[in-house]
């Protein structure tokens, strides 16, 4: 990570006015933000400190949301905090109060996503590859393979001949290939939808990977338009994409500092 941005823990006085808003929202990513990166998706566990802070904040704040590439029900089960709005599949699903809604824009792309994933399965084989079909998006995890760079090149080559690949969006994150709808339904879409539906006038957004860039960029755009006040926070690792830091206002060093920040936020809200 070559780009340096201010540590938010050293600038709490700048964000203190945000949480005093009546319609303040907190939006956090899951993997790498409130849950340490795990060898496999099933092994990930939410930080207990982070979960406790979210549990208290869900009572105090106008909105607390966890926005993930996982399915909404999956991330809700893993976080297990009532009163949180769980957004899954990068903005395709919304789970609030037990009610699940799906963005209508993504439904028609389900078959195209499945066909790309099936093609990759038939074209690329390596011990440690994990295939995750989440209905409205799909992920190929290659963290556990012996040579991740080689497998990434194989996936890139296989995508060139994948049927319906032009009907979806594909991109790489941290040891993962994401296959998502092309309809602009991503974490930036999710942020805009939450801001609109919850009538937020201030927000803090935390995320650590490629998919979170859209959320931080959307917050920056809304702020520039005068539609909201807010701060975007990049949760940084050695392999974090540089663009994440470019669109963020502040940084935090991994889940441990996220825990500290959430505890401060909790203690500063009446």
């Amino acid at each position: 990570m070559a780009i340096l941005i201010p540590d938010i823990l050293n600038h709490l006085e700048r964000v203190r006015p945000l949480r005093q808003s009546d319609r303040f929202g907190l939006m956090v990513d899951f993997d790498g933000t409130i849950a340490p990166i795990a060898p496999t998706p099933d092994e990930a566990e939410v930080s207990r400190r982070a979960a406790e802070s979210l549990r208290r904040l869900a009572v105090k704040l106008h909105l607390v949301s966890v926005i993930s590439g996982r399915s909404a029900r999956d991330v809700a089960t893993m976080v297990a905090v009532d009163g949180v709005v769980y957004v899954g599949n990068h903005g395709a699903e919304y789970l609030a109060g037990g009610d699940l809604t799906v963005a209508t824009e993504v439904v028609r792309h389900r078959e195209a996503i499945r066909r790309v994933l099936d093609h990759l399965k038939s074209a690329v084989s390596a011990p440690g590859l994990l295939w995750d079909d989440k209905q409205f998006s799909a992920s190929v995890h290659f963290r556990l393979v012996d040579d991740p760079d080689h497998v990434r090149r194989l996936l890139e080559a296989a995508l060139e001949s994948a049927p319906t690949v032009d009907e979806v969006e594909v991109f790489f994150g941290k040891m993962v290939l994401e296959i998502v709808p092309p309809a602009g339904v991503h974490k930036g879409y999710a942020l805009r939808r939450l801001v609109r539906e919850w009538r937020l006038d201030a927000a803090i957004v935390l995320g650590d990977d490629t998919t979170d860039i859209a959320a931080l960029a959307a917050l920056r755009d809304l702020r520039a338009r005068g539609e909201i006040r807010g701060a975007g926070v990049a949760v940084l690792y050695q392999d974090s994409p540089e663009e994440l830091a470019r669109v963020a206002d502040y940084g935090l060093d991994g889940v441990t500092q996220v825990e500290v920040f959430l505890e401060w936020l909790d203690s500063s809200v009446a």
Side-chain angles (χ1 to χ4, degrees), residues 57-160:
L57 288 166
V59 177
K60 297 177 179 180
L61 301 182
H62 190 64
L63 171 69
V64 173
S65 179
V66 178
I67 308 176
S68 176
R70 296 172 179 266
S71 73
R73 293 198 185 279
D74 180 23
V75 73
T77 298
M78 301 184 84
V79 178
V81 173
D82 292 336
V84 169
V85 176
Y86 294 98
V87 179
N89 274 296
H90 309 288
E93 299 177 307
Y94 297 78
L95 182 62
D99 295 326
L100 181 70
T101 59
V102 178
T104 57
E105 297 94 325
V106 305
V107 176
R108 68 180 183 275
H109 300 293
R110 162 64 193 146
E111 180 62 17
I113 291 170
R114 184 194 63 78
R115 291 186 67 189
V116 172
L117 185 66
D118 287 348
H119 174 79
L120 294 177
K121 284 182 179 180
S122 66
V124 182
S125 177
L129 266 177
L130 298 176
W131 309 91
D132 190 5
D133 186 344
K134 298 170 286 188
Q135 190 174 8
F136 300 114
S137 71
S139 302
V140 185
H141 300 269
F142 51 96
R143 184 176 299 275
L144 297 181
V145 303
D146 289 337
D147 189 344
D149 291 337
H150 175 64
V151 170
R152 174 171 174 150
R153 289 193 295 271
L154 292 177
L155 290 169
E156 289 173 336
L159 284 170
E160 294 180 4

Side-chain angles (χ1 to χ4, degrees), residues 167-258:
E167 301 175 28
V168 300
E169 183 179 350
V170 294
F171 55 88
F172 285 91
K174 296 177 182 176
M175 302 294 182
V176 62
L177 171 66
E178 302 282 5
I179 309 167
V180 302
V185 178
H186 44 55
K187 290 187 179 182
Y189 168 94
L191 183 140
R192 292 175 187 274
R193 176 169 171 170
L194 292 171
V195 167
R196 180 181 69 250
E197 294 187 356
W198 290 83
R199 299 176 59 240
L200 300 181
D201 52 31
I204 293 177
V205 183
L206 286 75
D208 79 298
D209 204 354
T210 303
T211 60
D212 301 300
I213 293 171
L216 297 184
L219 177 65
R220 176 169 287 195
D221 179 63
L222 291 175
R223 190 175 60 198
R225 295 171 181 268
E227 298 180 28
I228 196 171
R229 296 177 295 124
V233 183
V235 183
L236 299 173
Y237 297 88
Q238 190 66 34
D239 57 349
S240 294
E242 289 192 358
E243 183 62 23
L244 183 73
R246 289 194 182 98
V247 297
D249 303 296
Y250 303 100
L252 285 170
D253 186 11
V255 173
T256 300
Q257 282 201 348
V258 172

